[in-house]
Amino acid sequence: MQRPTTPDDALAELLAGNERFVTGARIHPHQDAERRAEIAEAQKPFAVVFGCSDSRLSAEIIFDRGLGDLFVIRTAGHIVGAEVLASIEYGITVLGTPLLVVLGHDQCGALQATKDAKAGVLDPPPGLLPIVDRIRPILDDTAAAGITDPDEITAAHVRSTMEQLSSGDAQLAEALAAKECGLVGFTYRLQDGRVTIVQ
Ligand SMILES: [Zn+2]
């Protein structure tokens, strides 16, 4: 399996891997001792995946990939902070990865906690506020737009994260603007394991 070098090829590889996962036809690539030895000196992943930390959202499993394929950063609710930006920037500009993925999902605990806090049924402990406070504006915006479908709210949250990543002042934003690296958002459905591209 050749390493994808363009955004389109990297996207196609991820979608193909997800299809194998969904249909129960995983081939578990790059998970053996040969691969381990091959990449011990240097990594050359083909996608940076920034997703939610949810334990049901393991990138290498849902895209049927292995060692050295994906550069993965995860935070609860895919909340962006300085370390996240630096990690993504490393994956894109230093490792030369051709695709950046934002991976959200249904039944997200971070979104639900924020929804509950907004409704007044949950008083989040101060330690969770960096997450809740960052998601709240998205819920405010979707509510103002009359959006109630949970899937649409999930997609709006992914879109918001994509905008944050592409509007920063770092090299990352430049690389995305210059199309050296592609940017795609996925929502993942826990029940069937399928990712859908966020338009
Ligand atoms: Zn989540």
Side-chain angles (χ1 to χ4, degrees):
M1 202 172 287
Q2 286 290 98
R3 171 187 178 269
T5 55
T6 67
D8 284 351
D9 287 351
L11 176 60
E13 193 66 55
L14 289 178
L15 291 174
N18 181 244
E19 184 65 23
R20 292 194 299 272
F21 173 64
V22 168
T23 57
R26 283 202 295 156
I27 58 174
H28 309 281
H30 296 162
Q31 297 185 16
D32 51 17
E34 285 77 12
R35 175 65 167 179
R36 187 181 69 219
E38 180 195 341
I39 59 170
E41 291 299 315
Q43 61 171 326
K44 203 75 182 152
F46 71 84
V48 173
V49 179
F50 174 45
C52 180
S53 299
D54 193 297
S55 62
R56 300 161 291 183
L57 201 62
S58 309
E60 280 86 356
I61 294 177
I62 70 171
F63 293 115
D64 191 25
R65 301 306 318 181
L67 298 173
D69 290 331
L70 308 177
F71 191 84
V72 181
I73 302 108
R74 296 167 69 181
T75 61
H78 48 85
I79 298 299
V80 178
E83 292 85 352
V84 165
L85 279 173
S87 299
I88 293 175
E89 184 164 326
Y90 177 81
I92 305 272
T93 62
V94 179
L95 298 179
T97 308
L99 183 66
L100 169 58
V101 174
V102 175
L103 178 62
H105 67 105
D106 61 350
Q107 317 278 352
C108 182
L111 272 174
Q112 188 59 48
T114 308
K115 206 177 287 179
D116 291 346
K118 190 171 146 66
V121 296
L122 171 75
D123 188 14
L128 291 189
L129 288 179
I131 293 174
V132 169
D133 288 348
R134 304 290 279 283
I135 296 179
R136 195 186 293 261
I138 295 150
L139 295 185
D140 290 344
D141 288 351
T142 49
I147 296 168
T148 53
D149 178 5
D151 289 343
E152 286 190 39
I153 293 172
T154 300
H157 180 34
V158 169
R159 246 180 254 118
S160 165
T161 300
M162 292 167 73
E163 280 163 19
Q164 285 177 59
L165 297 178
S166 55
S167 65
D169 58 356
Q171 256 187 300
L172 167 64
E174 282 175 31
L176 291 172
K179 308 283 184 208
E180 292 161 17
C181 175
L183 173 62
V184 67
F186 284 140
T187 54
Y188 175 83
R189 196 173 289 279
L190 295 177
Q191 192 66 43
D192 61 20
R194 190 177 290 284
V195 294
T196 301
I197 295 176
V198 172
Q199 302 295 338

